[in-house]
Amino acid sequence: MNSIAEHIADFLKEYPPFNHLTFQELSEIATSIRVVNLEKHKILFQINDVLHDSFYVVASGVINLSVIADAEETLLNKCHVGDIFGLRPFFAKNNYMMTAKAREESIVYAIPIATFRPFVANNSEVLNFLLQSFATNTPNPKDKENSRGKLISDNVYYSDQQSEMQYFQSLNYNNSPLKTIITSTVIEVAQLMTETLMNNVIVCDNNMPIGIVTDTDMRSKIATGRFPLTASIDKIMSSPVITVQENVSLAEAQLLMLKHNMTHLCVTQDGTNKSAVKGIISERDLIIAQASNPGVLIKEIKRSQSPKDLKQIRERLADLIQNSISKNIPLSHINNIASEINMALIKRAVELSILELGSPPARFAWLSIGSQGRKEQLLLTDQDSILIFEDVIPDKYRDVKDYFLKLGKKTTVTLEKIGYELCPNGHMGSNMLWCKSLTDWTKQYNSWMNTPGENSNDLSSIFFDYEIAFGEQKIEEAITNTVFKNAQNNTLFFDFLGNDALRKNAPLTFFKNFNVEEEGPNKNKFDIKTRALMPLIDGARLFTLNYNIRGINNTYLRFKQLAITDVKNSEIYLNCAEAFLILSKFRTLEGLKNDDSGQFINLNELSKIDKEKLKNALNPMKELEELIKSKFQLTQFS
């Protein structure tokens, strides 16, 4: 083996998924690898380019991956040494959906897919790694702690939105496939395929699949004279058939075709070849499905003209969430996708109001606060928002505020029609209190944070979880600067927030039973929102503000980031992150089942295992509580 190939194999064996291969296998791959030198800002491939025959690993330097959305370029991910990118040709037939560009002088290794494919097919570790990388485009899905801090930018997750969405999507396929029996002759089957205009047929025994014949088999085995037309069909069929269950997702189907080098999959009742045939999935079905994924939902939202259109899309999102959960897709992924779609819906609601009212008289920002601001709104919960407009001269103030109150009112009405209930506490941009100028908002935050005891009755901690849905980014940044400036060494504020976080009732009684509601419509149910999720949400927010961690609002990602920032307590934070996902999943399942916000869990409907799982997820809260008390020197009654 030449020394360059040896050097490449040595390099690759340090990084996943290559570390799952033997040195012998790596050496074999390394001999066909191309070394690509890229100058600074050189583009390797861009959106809509035809797919290359290779995927890439960064050997030195940094490669930026970006997409163009709304006419501006958005950086999705930075790939550092050892990171894999450009996996699209493995899993898809259409063109690139993002641009890869060298951020500095870089060297990448181009690994030919044809060379690498057999190693994928024979090694499930490698296959799973590639699939997860493709689905999330995070550098290394196995590397939970992500020491390089890649999680800092939480939009790493949306990297190639289209591809991630495919991971979840259910497929439409032919559910009345052409079938034949093993004793049929080739000529009979060929006539049948011609009459029905089908390019494939499943060979069955007792309605169970034993083989498949496609146009390609007819061409390569019959037209070439290898077998006579009178041969029985089993002579030319491909066997065994690769079978899948009915609710297979797009990505799973793509993987199986890739793994077995097949163009068709057979759908059976239980996913094995020992049960009845229900349908057939072709490569063409996959290509069609790629056109109707949630990336497309977002495009549809942008084109929608009425609340009715938007409501239909919101209902399709509920199906998507349900499907994703049933396929055990990680909740953090589902959250990201749902929040992107929710945000697009809110943004469109604001745009429709502007189309009706005419151009705004000043620049402004519509911020989602609370669960949507934290990107945790999987279920239809109430809407929480604030509206901030830029400062205007005193003479104009009233007219400007009038316009924005009207805008707030129209938008909240539209959102209500889409299915987001009005906030019972009135935390909405249509409320005089929460629609005001930047200076007024700055004063509001100053007063909340510097004299929290006096104004505590209207200080809701959800005002510290916000995400811009529409408008001027600089306005959001100005609020963030105010918040973090006031937070510095502000003992009074942290004392207040800390006690607020500790005030929630314990989720378990002294005897380790669930603390359930004692009266009212939810009697004997467990309030998972107030007793389990809120203490984690409050704790994550408290520490994030205290450690000056900006730009991360999501509770799960806040805990992941805290584990990097405050290393000595990292275990507590990581346990809390995990607990938060488990509890959120319980809440989501309850909400999907009852078509509500999932706040109250009916414990009688949980299995014994689920009850244990729920109880165990409450354990990290005690540690978090102790950490809050010691960090902010709080007794419960300070």
Side-chain angles (χ1 to χ4, degrees):
M1 183 167 90
N2 67 30
S3 60
I4 296 177
E6 203 165 319
H7 172 74
I8 294 175
D10 266 330
F11 169 84
L12 290 178
K13 73 171 196 289
E14 298 301 317
Y15 297 98
F18 308 105
N19 56 358
H20 295 298
L21 300 172
T22 63
F23 194 73
Q24 184 53 47
E25 291 173 319
L26 284 175
S27 311
E28 204 178 310
I29 294 163
T31 51
S32 61
I33 286 177
R34 278 195 347 271
V35 179
V36 184
N37 291 296
L38 298 170
E39 292 161 21
K40 188 175 177 177
H41 299 325
K42 177 94 170 105
I43 290 175
L44 182 62
F45 55 77
Q46 56 190 0
I47 298 172
N48 280 333
D49 277 3
V50 173
L51 298 179
H52 297 181
D53 58 3
S54 303
F55 67 103
Y56 299 96
V57 179
V58 183
S60 70
V62 180
I63 304 292
N64 281 351
L65 300 181
S66 58
V67 293
I68 300 208
D70 293 343
E72 55 191 66
E73 193 169 1
T74 309
L75 178 67
L76 295 170
N77 212 346
K78 294 187 184 117
C79 298
H80 297 265
V81 174
D83 287 343
I84 290 184
F85 66 99
L87 285 168
R88 188 152 203 88
F90 250 118
F91 298 110
K93 294 274 186 285
N94 41 5
N95 298 351
Y96 283 112
M97 291 190 155
M98 52 168 79
T99 293
K101 185 191 216 172
R103 187 175 163 208
E104 52 195 59
E105 255 183 71
S106 305
I107 295 172
V108 298
Y109 293 147
I111 304 181
I113 284 172
T115 308
F116 199 65
R117 185 166 267 156
F119 297 98
V120 181
N122 299 327
N123 189 319
S124 58
E125 298 270 2
V126 175
L127 181 64
N128 291 340
F129 180 89
L130 292 184
L131 179 62
Q132 279 180 286
S133 294
F134 181 64
T136 61
N137 225 64
T138 45
N140 178 350
K142 289 272 186 293
D143 173 11
K144 283 280 177 30
E145 271 48 277
N146 230 320
S147 52
R148 266 207 323 260
K150 276 261 173 128
L151 274 168
I152 290 174
S153 152
D154 58 4
N155 59 3
V156 174
Y157 277 124
Y158 316 137
S159 48
D160 181 355
Q161 240 169 8
Q162 309 291 329
S163 67
E164 174 168 349
M165 312 276 191
Q166 291 171 6
Y167 205 66
F168 305 107
Q169 229 182 304
S170 293
L171 271 168
N172 290 325
Y173 52 84
N174 175 7
N175 43 24
S176 48
L178 200 53
K179 294 186 265 197
T180 187
I181 50 174
I182 197 158
T183 51
S184 307
T185 60
V186 169
I187 193 162
E188 287 167 346
V189 174
Q191 281 167 341
L192 186 64
M193 285 167 74
T194 308
E195 281 160 21
T196 52
L197 300 175
M198 294 281 212
N199 62 7
N200 60 72
V201 59
I202 301 173
V203 183
C204 294
D205 178 18
N206 212 352
N207 205 21
M208 288 187 264
I210 51 173
I212 183 169
V213 174
T214 64
D215 272 358
T216 313
D217 295 318
M218 290 287 184
R219 283 199 303 275
S220 63
K221 296 171 187 171
I222 302 299
T224 53
R226 277 170 56 197
F227 294 93
L229 283 170
T230 50
S232 58
I233 199 69
D234 59 321
K235 298 286 186 294
I236 70 161
M237 70 184 186
S238 305
S239 180
V241 186
I242 306 305
T243 53
V244 291
Q245 276 182 311
E246 295 181 60
N247 67 347
V248 64
S249 74
L250 175 53
E252 291 166 302
Q254 278 181 321
L255 262 181
L256 285 164
M257 286 187 188
L258 170 83
K259 184 172 178 176
H260 299 286
N261 205 4
M262 292 283 189
T263 53
H264 292 80
L265 302 171
C266 179
V267 180
T268 62
Q269 205 142 16
D270 67 0
T272 72
N273 58 5
K274 298 280 179 279
S275 67
V277 171
K278 304 282 284 189
I280 185 132
I281 299 173
S282 68
E283 265 190 326
R284 186 170 171 274
D285 296 324
L286 300 192
I287 291 162
I288 290 169
Q290 283 171 352
S292 66
N293 63 28
V296 174
L297 280 191
I298 289 185
K299 284 196 185 111
E300 281 183 34
I301 291 170
K302 288 178 176 169
R303 288 197 299 262
S304 293
Q305 293 302 324
S306 71
K308 198 168 113 235
D309 298 345
L310 294 172
K311 185 180 168 70
Q312 285 170 345
I313 296 172
R314 181 64 188 75
E315 284 162 359
R316 280 156 62 192
L317 171 61
D319 295 341
L320 186 93
I321 292 168
Q322 182 104 48
N323 281 336
S324 310
I325 286 185
S326 68
K327 294 201 173 67
N328 267 329
I329 306 296
L331 201 69
S332 48
H333 289 355
I334 305 173
N335 258 332
N336 285 320
I337 286 179
S339 70
E340 285 300 289
I341 293 176
N342 277 319
M343 274 299 181
L345 286 163
I346 294 167
K347 183 178 181 191
R348 189 61 185 154
V350 177
E351 287 170 351
L352 290 176
S353 305
I354 292 174
L355 286 171
E356 213 173 311
L357 289 171
S359 292
R363 283 181 297 203
F364 74 104
W366 181 283
L367 303 187
S368 279
I369 57 174
S371 61
Q372 180 56 40
R374 292 191 302 272
K375 299 196 167 85
E376 288 160 11
Q377 195 182 54
L378 279 177
L379 298 158
L380 276 173
T381 54
D382 49 353
Q383 34 173 316
D384 294 293
S385 58
I386 61 177
L387 196 155
I388 307 172
F389 53 87
E390 65 181 346
D391 293 321
V392 293
I393 53 172
D395 299 358
K396 276 194 174 165
Y397 184 86
R398 249 194 90 170
D399 289 347
V400 170
K401 179 154 179 165
D402 272 354
Y403 172 92
F404 285 115
L405 278 170
K406 280 188 195 129
L407 179 77
K409 188 99 191 105
K410 272 195 188 311
T411 304
T412 50
V413 166
T414 298
L415 289 170
E416 191 185 15
K417 286 180 184 162
I418 296 172
Y420 302 95
E421 286 178 19
L422 298 173
C423 169
N425 305 322
H427 294 145
M428 293 179 298
S430 53
N431 179 336
M432 305 259 317
L433 285 172
W434 313 131
C435 167
K436 47 195 174 191
S437 70
L438 183 54
T439 294
D440 287 349
W441 268 114
T442 306
K443 284 182 188 152
Q444 177 76 73
Y445 275 97
N446 288 343
S447 127
W448 273 336
M449 295 180 74
N450 297 320
T451 53
E454 295 165 33
N455 300 302
S456 60
N457 47 358
D458 68 352
L459 166 55
S460 171
S461 44
I462 64 169
F463 287 102
F464 296 94
D465 300 333
Y466 49 77
E467 174 86 13
I468 187 164
F470 185 94
E472 199 67 36
Q473 199 82 43
K474 287 203 165 52
I475 293 178
E476 183 195 34
E477 283 163 20
I479 291 293
T480 302
N481 291 337
T482 303
V483 168
F484 282 98
K485 196 172 91 212
N486 281 322
Q488 268 173 351
N489 308 322
N490 189 339
T491 331
L492 197 65
F493 174 62
F494 286 113
D495 193 58
F496 178 83
L497 271 196
N499 277 311
D500 192 48
L502 297 175
R503 202 169 287 127
K504 310 282 188 286
N505 296 338
L508 296 175
T509 64
F510 183 72
F511 298 107
K512 297 281 178 274
N513 293 322
F514 289 101
N515 247 328
V516 294
E517 300 301 291
E518 286 172 7
E519 51 197 25
N522 295 302
K523 192 176 172 177
N524 294 330
K525 288 186 181 173
F526 177 61
D527 180 349
I528 194 166
K529 177 185 172 182
T530 315
R531 290 177 190 268
L533 288 163
M534 286 317 289
L536 290 170
I537 291 167
D538 290 344
R541 178 193 305 112
L542 174 68
F543 283 110
T544 307
L545 283 166
N546 186 59
Y547 282 113
N548 198 21
I549 296 170
R550 297 178 175 224
I552 300 183
N553 300 331
N554 178 274
T555 304
Y556 171 73
L557 292 177
R558 277 174 168 170
F559 280 128
K560 296 290 265 189
Q561 186 57 45
L562 284 163
I564 297 170
T565 307
D566 174 16
V567 177
K568 66 178 187 304
N569 294 307
S570 68
E571 198 176 331
I572 297 177
Y573 298 126
L574 292 172
N575 289 342
C576 287
E578 202 48 45
F580 181 75
L581 286 186
I582 293 166
L583 293 165
S584 301
K585 190 164 179 178
F586 271 107
R587 179 180 178 179
T588 305
L589 289 169
E590 189 75 23
L592 289 169
K593 193 167 70 191
N594 306 317
D595 204 15
D596 62 15
S597 72
Q599 179 170 351
F600 295 96
I601 302 281
N602 187 342
L603 297 169
N604 300 331
E605 291 176 7
L606 291 187
S607 67
K608 203 167 169 197
I609 295 174
D610 278 346
K611 274 189 196 152
E612 274 313 294
K613 207 168 153 191
L614 181 55
K615 235 175 232 185
N616 291 339
L618 302 170
N619 291 338
M621 290 164 60
K622 199 79 202 127
E623 297 175 312
L624 185 66
E625 199 175 294
E626 292 310 315
L627 192 60
I628 291 173
K629 285 179 186 171
S630 67
K631 170 83 183 158
F632 302 101
Q633 284 137 23
L634 300 174
T635 58
Q636 184 102 37
F637 307 105
S638 62

